Coordinates of all heavy atoms in Angstrom, one line a residue:
H11 N 0.8 -1.2 0.0 CA 0.0 0.0 0.0 C 0.9 1.2 0.0 O 1.5 1.6 1.0 CB -0.9 0.0 1.2 CG -1.9 -1.2 1.2 ND1 -2.8 -1.3 0.2 CD2 -2.0 -2.3 2.0 CE1 -3.5 -2.4 0.4 NE2 -3.0 -3.0 1.5
S12 N 0.9 1.9 -1.2 CA 1.7 3.1 -1.3 C 0.9 3.9 -2.3 O -0.3 3.6 -2.6 CB 3.1 2.8 -1.9 OG 3.0 2.2 -3.1
A13 N 1.5 4.9 -2.9 CA 0.8 5.7 -3.9 C 0.3 4.9 -5.1 O -0.7 5.1 -5.7 CB 1.7 6.9 -4.4
A14 N 1.1 3.9 -5.4 CA 0.8 3.0 -6.6 C 0.0 1.8 -6.2 O -0.5 1.1 -7.1 CB 2.1 2.6 -7.3
S15 N 0.0 1.3 -5.0 CA -0.6 0.1 -4.6 C -0.2 -1.1 -5.5 O -1.0 -1.6 -6.3 CB -2.2 0.3 -4.6 OG -2.8 -0.9 -4.0
I16 N 1.0 -1.5 -5.3 CA 1.6 -2.5 -6.2 C 1.2 -3.9 -5.7 O 1.4 -4.3 -4.6 CB 3.1 -2.3 -6.2 CG1 3.5 -0.9 -6.6 CG2 3.8 -3.4 -7.1 CD1 4.9 -0.6 -6.4
L17 N 0.8 -4.7 -6.7 CA 0.5 -6.1 -6.4 C 1.8 -6.9 -6.4 O 2.6 -6.8 -7.3 CB -0.5 -6.7 -7.5 CG -0.8 -8.2 -7.4 CD1 -1.6 -8.4 -6.1 CD2 -1.6 -8.6 -8.6
F18 N 1.9 -7.8 -5.4 CA 3.1 -8.7 -5.3 C 2.6 -10.2 -5.4 O 1.5 -10.5 -4.9 CB 3.8 -8.5 -4.0 CG 4.8 -7.4 -4.0 CD1 4.3 -6.1 -4.0 CD2 6.2 -7.6 -4.1 CE1 5.2 -5.0 -4.0 CE2 7.0 -6.6 -4.1 CZ 6.6 -5.3 -4.0
I19 N 3.4 -11.1 -5.9 CA 3.2 -12.5 -5.8 C 4.3 -13.0 -4.9 O 5.5 -12.7 -5.2 CB 3.1 -13.2 -7.1 CG1 2.8 -14.7 -6.9 CG2 4.3 -13.0 -8.0 CD1 2.5 -15.5 -8.2
G20 N 3.9 -13.7 -3.9 CA 4.9 -14.3 -3.0 C 4.8 -15.8 -2.8 O 3.7 -16.3 -3.1
L21 N 5.8 -16.4 -2.3 CA 5.8 -17.8 -2.0 C 6.1 -18.1 -0.5 O 7.1 -17.6 0.0 CB 6.8 -18.6 -2.8 CG 6.7 -18.4 -4.3 CD1 7.8 -19.2 -5.0 CD2 5.3 -19.0 -4.8
A22 N 5.2 -18.8 0.2 CA 5.4 -19.2 1.5 C 6.1 -20.6 1.3 O 5.6 -21.5 0.6 CB 4.1 -19.3 2.3
R23 N 7.2 -20.8 2.0 CA 7.9 -22.1 1.8 C 7.9 -22.9 3.1 O 7.8 -22.3 4.2 CB 9.3 -21.8 1.3 CG 9.3 -21.1 0.0 CD 10.6 -20.8 -0.6 NE 11.7 -20.4 0.3 CZ 12.8 -21.0 0.4 NH1 13.1 -22.1 -0.3 NH2 13.7 -20.6 1.3
R24 N 8.1 -24.2 3.0 CA 8.1 -25.0 4.2 C 9.3 -24.7 5.0 O 10.4 -24.3 4.6 CB 8.1 -26.5 3.7 CG 9.4 -27.0 3.1 CD 9.4 -28.5 2.8 NE 10.5 -28.8 2.0 CZ 11.8 -28.9 2.4 NH1 12.1 -28.7 3.7 NH2 12.8 -29.2 1.6
E25 N 9.2 -25.0 6.3 CA 10.3 -24.8 7.3 C 11.4 -25.7 6.9 O 11.2 -26.9 6.5 CB 9.8 -25.2 8.7 CG 10.7 -24.8 9.8 CD 10.8 -23.3 10.0 OE1 9.8 -22.6 9.8 OE2 11.9 -22.8 10.3
G26 N 12.6 -25.2 6.8 CA 13.8 -26.0 6.5 C 14.1 -26.1 5.0 O 15.0 -26.8 4.6
A27 N 13.3 -25.4 4.2 CA 13.6 -25.4 2.7 C 14.9 -24.7 2.5 O 15.3 -23.8 3.2 CB 12.4 -24.7 2.0
P28 N 15.6 -25.1 1.5 CA 16.9 -24.5 1.2 C 16.8 -23.0 0.9 O 15.8 -22.6 0.3 CB 17.5 -25.3 0.0 CG 16.5 -26.4 -0.3 CD 15.3 -26.2 0.5
A29 N 17.7 -22.2 1.3 CA 17.7 -20.8 1.1 C 17.8 -20.5 -0.4 O 18.5 -21.3 -1.1 CB 18.9 -20.1 1.8
V30 N 17.2 -19.5 -0.9 CA 17.3 -19.1 -2.3 C 17.8 -17.7 -2.3 O 17.6 -16.9 -1.5 CB 15.9 -19.2 -3.0 CG1 15.4 -20.6 -3.1 CG2 14.9 -18.3 -2.3
P31 N 18.5 -17.4 -3.4 CA 19.0 -16.0 -3.6 C 17.9 -15.0 -3.7 O 16.9 -15.3 -4.3 CB 19.8 -16.0 -4.9 CG 19.8 -17.4 -5.4 CD 18.9 -18.2 -4.5
G32 N 18.0 -13.9 -3.0 CA 17.0 -12.9 -3.1 C 15.8 -13.1 -2.1 O 14.9 -12.3 -2.0
G33 N 15.9 -14.2 -1.3 CA 14.8 -14.5 -0.3 C 15.1 -13.7 1.0 O 16.2 -13.2 1.2
I34 N 14.1 -13.6 1.8 CA 14.2 -12.9 3.0 C 14.8 -13.9 4.0 O 14.3 -15.0 4.2 CB 12.8 -12.4 3.6 CG1 12.3 -11.4 2.6 CG2 13.0 -11.8 4.9 CD1 10.8 -11.1 2.8
R35 N 15.9 -13.5 4.6 CA 16.7 -14.4 5.5 C 16.7 -13.9 6.9 O 17.0 -12.7 7.2 CB 18.1 -14.6 5.0 CG 18.1 -15.3 3.7 CD 19.6 -15.7 3.3 NE 19.6 -16.2 2.0 CZ 20.2 -15.6 1.0 NH1 20.8 -14.5 1.1 NH2 20.1 -16.1 -0.2
G36 N 16.3 -14.8 7.8 CA 16.4 -14.5 9.3 C 15.5 -13.4 9.8 O 14.7 -12.8 9.1
P37 N 15.6 -13.3 11.1 CA 14.7 -12.3 11.8 C 14.9 -10.9 11.4 O 14.0 -10.1 11.4 CB 14.9 -12.6 13.3 CG 16.2 -13.4 13.4 CD 16.4 -14.0 12.0
V38 N 16.2 -10.5 11.1 CA 16.5 -9.1 10.7 C 15.8 -8.8 9.4 O 15.2 -7.7 9.2 CB 18.0 -8.9 10.7 CG1 18.3 -7.5 10.1 CG2 18.6 -9.1 12.0
G39 N 15.9 -9.8 8.4 CA 15.2 -9.6 7.1 C 13.7 -9.4 7.3 O 13.1 -8.6 6.6
R40 N 13.1 -10.2 8.1 CA 11.7 -10.1 8.4 C 11.3 -8.8 9.0 O 10.3 -8.2 8.7 CB 11.2 -11.3 9.2 CG 11.3 -12.6 8.5 CD 10.3 -13.6 9.1 NE 10.5 -14.8 8.3 CZ 10.0 -15.1 7.1 NH1 9.3 -14.2 6.5 NH2 10.1 -16.2 6.5
L41 N 12.1 -8.4 9.9 CA 11.9 -7.1 10.6 C 11.9 -5.9 9.6 O 11.1 -5.0 9.6 CB 12.9 -6.8 11.7 CG 12.3 -6.5 13.0 CD1 11.9 -7.8 13.8 CD2 13.3 -5.7 13.8
A42 N 12.9 -6.0 8.7 CA 13.1 -5.0 7.7 C 11.8 -5.0 6.7 O 11.3 -3.9 6.4 CB 14.3 -5.2 6.9
M43 N 11.4 -6.1 6.3 CA 10.2 -6.2 5.5 C 9.0 -5.7 6.2 O 8.2 -5.0 5.6 CB 9.9 -7.6 5.0 CG 10.6 -8.0 3.7 SD 10.5 -6.8 2.4 CE 8.9 -6.8 1.9
R44 N 8.8 -6.0 7.4 CA 7.7 -5.5 8.2 C 7.7 -4.0 8.3 O 6.7 -3.3 8.3 CB 7.6 -6.1 9.6 CG 7.3 -7.5 9.6 CD 5.9 -7.7 10.2 NE 5.5 -9.1 10.2 CZ 4.6 -9.6 9.4 NH1 3.9 -8.9 8.6 NH2 4.4 -10.9 9.4
A45 N 8.9 -3.4 8.4 CA 9.1 -2.0 8.5 C 8.7 -1.3 7.1 O 8.1 -0.2 7.1 CB 10.5 -1.6 8.8
L46 N 9.0 -2.0 6.0 CA 8.7 -1.4 4.7 C 7.2 -1.7 4.4 O 6.6 -0.8 3.7 CB 9.6 -2.1 3.6 CG 11.0 -1.7 3.8 CD1 11.9 -2.6 2.8 CD2 11.3 -0.3 3.5

């Protein structure tokens, strides 16, 4: 929700799934996304 209201497609992944490049990693990454 911003001036443009941009649609995103996201993937929820199973616990323990291998990390992928560009994914949100760890609690700090989640905190940053929640802030944005």
